[in-house]
Amino acid sequence: MIHHQITIQNKLGLHARAAAKLVDLAKRYGSRIELVFGDRVVDCKSIMGVITLGAQKDNVVDVMVTGDDEEQAMSAINHLIDGKFGEE
């Protein structure tokens, strides 16, 4: 298992479009990917779960990845979030 904290950097946070990009990316990997924000843990492959986290700009979320392709999945997620979901 890999655990990493990531700061949401895009202006609108995990809004619908950003959440959809994250979920689409997560679904490319066989690993179990979870996001933790506050006291909530959601499946990163669930659009409703990601949107309802309510993570905004500058919030820190924990990403936990478990599986055979965990390194690749974590790298891709870091790249997407650090790249502000292609926004701005």
Side-chain angles (χ1 to χ4, degrees):
M1 178 174 78
I2 300 174
H3 173 260
H4 192 247
Q5 291 187 325
I6 301 174
T7 302
I8 304 298
Q9 299 176 27
N10 60 313
K11 184 169 59 172
L12 299 175
L14 281 179
H15 60 91
R17 188 172 39 251
K21 287 182 180 182
L22 182 58
V23 169
D24 286 344
L25 178 67
K27 286 182 177 180
R28 296 179 195 168
Y29 298 93
S31 291
R32 189 170 116 223
I33 305 170
E34 295 176 315
L35 296 179
V36 181
F37 181 62
D39 61 350
R40 301 214 33 234
V41 179
V42 300
D43 181 351
C44 196
K45 297 177 184 180
S46 164
I47 187 73
M48 290 308 295
V50 174
I51 289 173
T52 60
L53 272 181
Q56 301 295 315
K57 181 177 175 26
D58 297 325
N59 287 156
V60 176
V61 296
D62 292 314
V63 181
M64 297 185 299
V65 184
T66 306
D68 292 337
D69 55 0
E70 61 189 23
E71 296 279 342
Q72 298 90 341
M74 183 64 82
S75 176
I77 290 169
N78 281 329
H79 183 73
L80 180 67
I81 294 175
D82 287 344
K84 300 179 183 180
F85 299 92
E87 300 173 1
E88 299 177 309

